[in-house]
Amino acid sequence: MAYVNALNSRSADRLIEVGGVKDEKWSRNEAEQILADKGGRGWKIKDVQVEHDMGPDTGSARLMAEDNAGKPMRDTFTVTREKGAWHLVVFTQQPAESGKESASTDKPSS
């Protein structure tokens, strides 16, 4: 899996490619955060399950891996198909497109 290879190689470029996002300051910063947390640990994939449970171009992937020290990693991702290529949604800090507002995650005030 390209995501695990990007983590093991500590490659921000590869992580950005896997995530299908533009190579910009925000994506570089988030890639570096992900790599600082999970990169270079010799992950070996134990199991991957992909389901097209959200439509033909969107689904979910469950990843189970283990690092060199035997520490497990379990992660669930949304997978999306754009222009025929599948991408993991690993970047969460992507800015809203110009002219669009992002959904608020604030609790409503009473």
Side-chain angles (χ1 to χ4, degrees):
M1 174 180 238
Y3 172 70
V4 172
N5 291 337
L7 291 178
N8 287 337
S9 68
R10 297 188 61 85
S11 172
D13 290 335
R14 290 172 73 183
L15 196 56
I16 288 168
E17 183 180 332
V18 168
V21 295
K22 292 180 181 177
D23 187 347
E24 295 179 348
K25 185 177 180 179
W26 72 266
S27 58
R28 284 256 156 219
N29 288 341
E30 189 167 355
E32 293 300 328
Q33 290 173 355
I34 293 167
L35 292 172
D37 184 40
K38 298 179 182 175
R41 293 176 43 187
W43 295 107
K44 290 184 176 48
I45 297 172
K46 296 297 182 185
D47 187 39
V48 176
Q49 297 177 3
V50 178
E51 297 180 22
H52 296 276
D53 51 358
M54 297 180 230
D57 294 324
T58 308
S60 60
R62 285 189 297 278
L63 168 68
M64 289 185 281
E66 192 173 272
D67 70 8
N68 286 335
K71 182 178 177 184
M73 171 178 64
R74 288 182 170 80
D75 232 330
T76 302
F77 303 95
T78 298
V79 292
T80 60
R81 180 168 41 192
E82 187 175 311
K83 298 178 184 173
W86 286 95
H87 299 282
L88 289 176
V89 179
V90 295
F91 291 88
T92 60
Q93 299 172 15
Q94 185 168 355
E97 291 181 33
S98 181
K100 293 185 179 179
E101 289 187 33
S102 60
S104 174
T105 57
D106 294 338
K107 291 182 180 178
S109 59
S110 46

